[in-house]
Amino acid sequence: MDEITYIGEHLWAQTLGNIFIALALTFSIISTAGYFLSFKRAGEEDFWLKLSRWSFRIHAFSIFAIFGLLLYMLFNRNFEYYYVWFHSNTAMASKYILSCLWEGQEGSFLLWMFWHAVLGLILQFTARQWEGPVLMVISIVQVFLVSMILGIVIGPLDLKIGSNPFVLLREQEDMRFMPFLQSADYLSKIDGRGLNPLLQNYWMTIHPPTLFLGFASTIVPFAYALAGLVKKDFNGWLKPALPWALFGIGILGAGILMGGAWAYEALSFGGFWAWDPVENASLVPWLTLVAGTHLMVIYRNKGTSLFLAFLLIILSFQLVLWSTYLTRSGVLGESSVHAFTDLGMNGQLLLFVFAFTWLPAFLFNIQPKTRRYFLIVSLLAFAAGIIFGLNSYTFSAYLLLLLFGFGLAMINAKIYFPSTKEEEEFLSREFILFLGAVILFLSGVFIIFSTSMPALSKFFEHIPPLSKMFADLTTPDIEFYNSVSIWFAYGILFLMAIGQFLRYRSTPVSLLIKQILPALLLALGITVFISIFSKDFLKRFDYALMFFTGILAVILNADYIRQVLKRKWKSYGPPVAHAGFALIMLGALLSAGHKRVISENNASVIKLDRLNEDFSNNENILLHKGDTVSMGDYMVTYSRDSAHDKNAYFLVDYYKVENGSWNKAFTLTPMIQTNPRFGNVAEPSTRHFWNRDIYTYTPYADMDKVNQLINPQPKDSLATDPVRQVGTFEVMEGDTIYWATAYFIFADLRSLSKLDTSAKVGDSTRIDLQGDFVLTDLKGKKRILTPGISITTAGIQTFPAMDGETGLKVEISRINPDKRNVEVVLYEVQTARQKDYIIMQAIEFPWINILWLGCVLMVIGSFMAMAKRFGENRKANA
């Protein structure tokens, strides 16, 4: 068979891309080796440092080149490349190209590498004596990450390493035999698959890069901690690592909060946080990073908690890797809207996690004797994995290995890690910081264990005791997460409130009471006043207690600035960040805990759950076009609709009484984004007030109308086919048939001696049957339709029944004696369709702006604290 000469392909991009991938991998390996030798070869430091620096710079340049090349291919819609075809199309707005780049596995790994490269280049100029071991750690992580985009297969083992973003569409294993690829000019005939409509949102152009910068930033304190173990300088690493830990808290926190804002604006679950597994997996590293950072502060001021600071800083990066596995292995594919599909990299991802949990365990064993023991056991576990493969037993063995390693490390810690023997006073800042770190850590353990249920059940499925235990455990629902997490919130908020006023070592009780008593009484008074006199707020004790601790934290942190810091604005970071976090908790409590569904379907007689079991009359409202109905404090009218690109907008006008008359207050436009490939997506429309939001979306609209809006057809095209078949159903007596404009209950099927018809049937053997269908329309009106069917030896003749108001026609097309049911065909007369309607849900989120204000303050406070620590380091190094 002659080889096809394809027309219009830009093959140079594949060649160039693969060259840069090879360069990135090669020079990350050289950089790793060079930085290792720079602190191991005495007298040769300058040579190895120079080699390593230039190797890392070439590696970084290669990563930037891959990033730019992939972006170029996406902008130019080079559909000859599978990644471009899979994640974009010509109909998509160019402003979402960046979202296409990191929608896929390969692009998101590339984004992660990009930020590591940026951070590594900065550290080359700032890490000073720590450059060798710190950049060695970053370089070896880059080796693993670059391997994720290699896309090579080791022949004898049939082992695939990574997924290459420069694979041609006609070379991709699932596409190579497609008939259209046998045409030389196939590019002129195809369009891309397109971007998931959920990601076609401006937040998705800024949320992922911010979040991945947050993930990437955890490597810097992690690398400093490992460098401290390598150099056996157990406290020297804290000073340069601390500002980077604060940077990670700020930027990772900002990325997580941006994700909440995206969910609130783009998703239709009605909120900003749903305890989604991928949300949880990004939150837990932030919790442990915050806990570890506070322990670093304790050690710098008091000389205690060093080993735990090591553990939590290291654990933060390891949890980023674990969240990477959860997100990308496919194990969460059915339980998270954020998760990637599995590209066959399950084993490679687990190796990534294992490598960087094993390495700290190995380095923690400082004594040569315990290190040898750990190395021997590690080699045995590795050999078992090679011989028996990755299964429940080898995974369990690896977990036992880690426990063994960290157990030995605990023994080493008592010998090598400097610590003070002075006991901590209960009323001391270091004890409160330590207690807060413990609470944060425990909350992280609860969340990550609950989130990892699908993965753990898979790992242990072949070990009977463990498989049964995990089979009995299910992933918690939102209410369970809320009910447990609120207890952690009480503790953190209270400690955050009083912690700033405590001194290191000891604080007189009388002084503490004097400083916090006015705020304590004020917070208690506000809580009691709102609980008693408010109509809706704080009627539950747990909510009132959380509000009290939250408002106390805000007041006391503000008062700390007034009483203690005064004009020392460079020291404002911690109290500002603490007040911001408290406001986030308060905003979440007041908005999500007291949200009010105002779209109750009181005006319509019909029960919406009869149309769809997901539609509750208590949460949804039926709006006919042009009708005005009462909803909460408003009168609302579904006034008109419009279309733009692939989006259908439903304009709903809100009226409110002003000066004795109803005046138009505002208009909301919930929309449906149509996408034949991914399915249609309802996107909310929200009206923002200073003290609340009105959040709306449309769980149902007539898709025929939506399609007509987006792709208008000539008016007379409908006249050629005024009656259309809309569905075939098999029903038994008592069953219900649902349709957009009505529902039917099949009440009875009875035999008649003769049907009321003039039709003639040429056989004397005849069975006449008639069905009774009780129709209920959207206005709640009921009537009975009686379609008939005649069965003879010559055949079947049907006698449909028509409902004039809804334009629906019911036909009994077959009797199934074996199944004891009948086959019913439903038709609709298009010209008789009732006027357009939508089903809408509207939720009032009170005081949600408190949450957004808290987000801003927390991030600002974190960066202020970071700036102060960087400034202190610069002065010390000057």
Side-chain angles (χ1 to χ4, degrees):
M1 185 176 181
D2 294 335
E3 186 175 341
I4 300 172
T5 303
Y6 291 99
I7 301 170
E9 291 185 332
H10 302 81
L11 299 182
W12 62 268
Q14 183 185 50
T15 303
L16 198 57
N18 287 330
I19 289 173
F20 282 126
I21 290 175
L23 287 173
L25 180 63
T26 301
F27 282 96
S28 62
I29 294 172
I30 294 173
S31 177
T32 300
Y35 275 123
F36 174 77
L37 293 173
S38 72
F39 60 85
K40 284 295 183 181
R41 294 288 183 92
E44 301 178 12
E45 296 91 342
D46 291 342
F47 169 76
W48 292 113
L49 276 175
K50 187 174 182 180
L51 174 66
S52 303
R53 286 168 182 163
W54 280 106
S55 297
F56 191 87
R57 290 166 190 171
I58 295 171
H59 161 80
F61 174 78
S62 301
I63 295 298
F64 300 154
I66 298 168
F67 191 93
L69 189 58
L70 195 55
L71 197 59
Y72 172 85
M73 290 157 50
L74 285 163
F75 266 113
N76 288 279
R77 310 299 202 276
N78 295 144
F79 295 134
E80 62 267 37
Y81 292 98
Y82 179 77
Y83 193 86
V84 178
W85 173 84
F86 194 84
H87 297 290
S88 69
N89 60 14
T90 54
M92 186 191 67
S94 295
K95 61 184 177 181
Y96 298 128
I97 286 295
L98 286 173
S99 299
C100 297
L101 194 150
W102 41 68
E103 182 195 24
Q105 292 256 36
E106 303 90 335
S108 58
F109 275 125
L110 186 57
L111 181 61
W112 195 359
M113 285 182 270
F114 176 92
W115 287 126
H116 276 176
V118 170
L119 294 172
L121 292 175
I122 294 172
L123 287 166
Q124 282 192 342
F125 296 96
T126 60
R128 297 177 181 267
Q129 73 270 22
W130 293 93
E131 180 185 349
V134 168
L135 267 294
M136 178 194 72
V137 173
I138 294 176
S139 297
I140 196 170
V141 170
Q142 290 293 82
V143 172
F144 277 85
L145 287 175
V146 175
S147 74
M148 300 295 176
I149 61 170
L150 273 181
I152 62 172
V153 178
I154 300 176
L157 300 176
D158 195 27
L159 178 65
K160 183 179 179 182
I161 301 176
S163 178
N164 191 307
F166 298 103
V167 170
L168 292 171
L169 181 64
R170 55 184 170 85
E171 293 176 346
Q172 208 276 338
E173 56 188 355
D174 295 329
M175 303 293 293
R176 64 179 64 174
F177 299 114
M178 290 292 178
F180 71 89
L181 292 172
Q182 308 311 309
S183 172
D185 63 340
Y186 74 94
L187 284 175
S188 65
K189 304 171 184 176
I190 67 169
D191 195 2
R193 177 175 176 269
L195 178 67
N196 188 319
L198 288 173
L199 305 183
Q200 296 183 36
N201 180 282
Y202 69 94
W203 278 113
M204 294 311 293
T205 62
I206 57 176
H207 159 55
T210 306
L211 185 67
F212 273 89
L213 177 55
F215 286 153
S217 68
T218 62
I219 199 176
V220 182
F222 172 79
Y224 271 110
L226 293 192
L229 293 174
V230 169
K231 296 180 70 173
K232 297 184 180 179
D233 185 354
F234 302 116
N235 52 20
W237 67 277
L238 290 165
K239 183 178 177 181
L242 183 56
W244 283 107
L246 291 165
F247 172 76
I249 290 172
I251 202 68
L252 181 55
I256 294 169
L257 295 169
M258 284 180 181
W262 165 69
Y264 184 65
E265 289 200 11
L267 303 183
S268 56
F269 67 81
F272 45 82
W273 193 264
W275 295 106
D276 179 271
V278 177
E279 292 175 342
N280 296 348
S282 63
L283 174 64
V284 175
W286 183 83
L287 292 173
T288 55
L289 184 61
V290 173
T293 303
H294 284 80
L295 293 177
M296 292 167 72
V297 172
I298 292 176
Y299 183 78
R300 290 203 64 191
N301 288 279
K302 186 68 179 0
T304 59
S305 306
L306 179 60
F307 182 69
L308 289 178
F310 261 109
L311 281 181
L312 288 178
I313 290 299
I314 289 170
L315 185 62
S316 298
F317 180 72
Q318 292 171 338
L319 284 167
V320 168
L321 301 185
W322 179 244
S323 71
T324 300
Y325 172 76
L326 290 178
T327 307
R328 299 165 188 275
S329 64
V331 71
L332 296 180
E334 297 180 359
S335 59
S336 173
V337 298
H338 301 76
F340 294 91
T341 55
D342 184 15
L343 291 181
M345 294 193 293
N346 196 314
Q348 193 176 350
L349 289 166
L350 272 180
L351 180 62
F352 192 16
V353 177
F354 288 172
F356 288 94
T357 48
W358 179 89
L359 182 60
F362 176 74
L363 292 175
F364 263 125
N365 285 281
I366 300 154
Q367 283 184 311
K369 187 176 181 180
T370 59
R371 186 171 284 186
R372 281 197 300 272
Y373 290 154
F374 183 65
L375 188 58
I376 292 169
V377 176
S378 299
L379 290 173
L380 291 174
F382 181 73
I386 295 294
I387 295 170
F388 300 108
L390 181 65
N391 55 45
S392 298
Y393 297 100
T394 54
F395 182 79
S396 301
Y398 184 78
L399 289 181
L400 291 174
L401 166 67
L402 291 180
L403 291 174
F404 174 71
F406 281 108
L408 292 176
M410 293 290 288
I411 298 172
N412 280 277
K414 291 183 178 181
I415 301 172
Y416 288 95
F417 283 76
S419 180
T420 177
K421 294 183 179 180
E422 181 184 347
E423 292 187 5
E424 295 175 351
E425 293 286 340
F426 176 74
L427 285 180
S428 63
R429 183 175 292 191
E430 61 269 24
F431 181 77
I432 294 300
L433 288 174
F434 175 80
L435 190 58
V438 170
I439 293 174
L440 287 171
F441 172 71
L442 291 177
S443 68
V445 169
F446 159 69
I447 295 169
I448 200 65
F449 181 78
S450 302
T451 302
S452 302
M453 288 292 185
L456 296 175
S457 61
K458 184 177 180 181
F459 289 144
F460 299 119
E461 61 184 348
H462 299 302
I463 300 179
L466 293 176
S467 64
K468 185 178 186 308
M469 180 183 75
F470 283 104
D472 293 338
L473 296 174
T474 57
T475 302
D477 58 17
I478 292 177
E479 287 303 317
F480 182 76
Y481 274 116
N482 289 339
S483 63
V484 175
S485 298
I486 197 171
W487 290 95
F488 294 117
Y490 297 151
I492 287 297
L493 289 171
F494 183 73
L495 297 178
M496 196 178 285
I498 68 170
Q500 298 276 31
F501 287 94
L502 295 174
R503 299 174 180 177
Y504 284 104
R505 291 180 171 82
S506 180
T507 305
V509 176
S510 59
L511 176 62
L512 179 63
I513 293 175
K514 179 180 177 181
Q515 289 178 314
I516 72 170
L517 185 59
L520 196 69
L521 294 175
L522 178 60
L524 184 61
I526 293 172
T527 305
V528 171
F529 180 84
I530 294 176
S531 300
I532 294 174
F533 295 102
S534 171
K535 179 181 177 182
D536 302 310
F537 291 98
L538 309 184
K539 300 305 180 186
R540 287 172 46 174
F541 176 76
D542 55 345
Y543 285 2
L545 182 58
M546 184 171 172
F547 181 85
F548 166 72
T549 54
I551 200 70
L552 180 66
V554 172
I555 295 170
L556 280 177
N557 277 280
D559 199 40
Y560 181 77
I561 293 175
R562 182 188 66 84
Q563 286 190 53
V564 180
L565 297 180
K566 298 179 181 178
R567 296 188 178 182
K568 298 176 184 177
W569 62 269
K570 288 185 179 179
S571 300
Y572 282 9
V576 169
H578 292 163
F581 182 82
L583 287 172
I584 291 174
M585 295 293 100
L586 284 174
L589 171 69
L590 295 174
S591 59
H594 295 83
K595 68 181 181 181
R596 183 168 65 101
V597 178
I598 59 176
S599 51
E600 294 186 39
N601 194 52
N602 297 322
S604 176
V605 178
I606 194 168
K607 301 297 183 184
L608 296 181
D609 54 7
R610 290 298 187 96
L611 296 179
N612 188 305
E613 62 182 9
D614 294 329
F615 300 156
S616 167
N617 265 0
N618 296 326
E619 296 182 353
N620 299 277
I621 191 168
L622 180 71
L623 298 177
H624 284 95
K625 197 171 186 178
D627 288 354
T628 301
V629 299
S630 174
M631 190 180 77
D633 299 329
Y634 300 93
M635 299 294 289
V636 295
T637 303
Y638 165 31
S639 58
R640 57 199 185 283
D641 37 46
S642 64
H644 178 69
D645 292 334
K646 298 295 183 182
N647 303 329
Y649 297 88
F650 308 98
L651 283 74
V652 180
D653 297 327
Y654 287 68
Y655 296 86
K656 200 165 187 179
V657 174
E658 293 180 1
N659 300 322
S661 61
W662 289 95
N663 296 310
K664 185 176 176 181
F666 55 89
T667 299
L668 289 178
T669 55
M671 60 169 277
I672 291 180
Q673 185 180 160
T674 61
N675 192 303
R677 186 179 298 276
F678 293 95
N680 302 320
V681 175
E683 290 198 15
S685 178
T686 305
R687 176 70 175 186
H688 304 286
F689 297 92
W690 71 272
N691 62 344
R692 70 190 190 283
D693 278 1
I694 303 294
Y695 168 102
T696 64
Y697 78 100
T698 50
Y700 177 84
D702 184 354
M703 291 312 301
D704 288 335
K705 175 63 178 177
V706 169
N707 293 329
Q708 177 66 12
L709 273 173
I710 293 171
N711 298 301
Q713 301 295 322
K715 290 184 178 180
D716 57 358
S717 68
L718 298 177
T720 60
D721 185 21
V723 179
R724 64 184 182 121
Q725 180 177 326
V726 297
T728 302
F729 311 88
E730 288 188 0
V731 293
M732 302 173 66
E733 289 186 11
D735 287 350
T736 304
I737 300 173
Y738 299 103
W739 185 238
T741 54
Y743 65 88
F744 304 81
I745 297 175
F746 178 34
D748 189 23
L749 181 69
R750 59 186 184 277
S751 175
L752 300 179
S753 58
K754 185 176 181 182
L755 288 174
D756 184 14
T757 175
S758 58
K760 296 179 181 179
V761 180
D763 194 292
S764 58
T765 304
R766 169 172 172 165
I767 300 174
D768 297 329
L769 302 170
Q770 181 173 286
D772 291 337
F773 289 80
V774 181
L775 177 150
T776 306
D777 64 21
L778 293 178
K779 295 181 179 179
K781 296 181 179 179
K782 295 184 178 182
R783 41 202 175 270
I784 296 178
L785 301 184
T786 55
I789 183 171
S790 289
I791 304 171
T792 69
T793 54
I796 294 175
Q797 187 171 9
T798 63
F799 305 95
M802 169 75 75
D803 179 63
E805 293 189 36
T806 60
L808 293 173
K809 182 169 67 173
V810 180
E811 177 187 47
I812 298 175
S813 58
R814 181 182 301 169
I815 307 294
N816 298 316
D818 295 339
K819 298 181 180 180
R820 302 180 65 83
N821 65 21
V822 299
E823 183 179 270
V824 176
V825 181
L826 185 64
Y827 300 87
E828 183 178 46
V829 179
Q830 297 188 35
T831 55
R833 171 71 74 92
Q834 291 185 351
K835 60 183 177 181
D836 299 332
Y837 74 94
I838 59 173
I839 295 175
M840 187 180 77
Q841 185 171 120
I843 304 172
E844 182 179 82
F845 287 97
W847 302 106
I848 193 170
N849 286 329
I850 292 176
L851 183 145
W852 306 127
L853 174 62
C855 295
V856 174
L857 288 179
M858 190 188 76
V859 173
I860 290 174
S862 300
F863 285 133
M864 289 176 71
M866 175 204 73
K868 181 186 177 185
R869 296 294 181 175
F870 272 127
E872 291 173 351
N873 288 355
R874 279 196 300 270
K875 287 181 181 179
N877 294 326

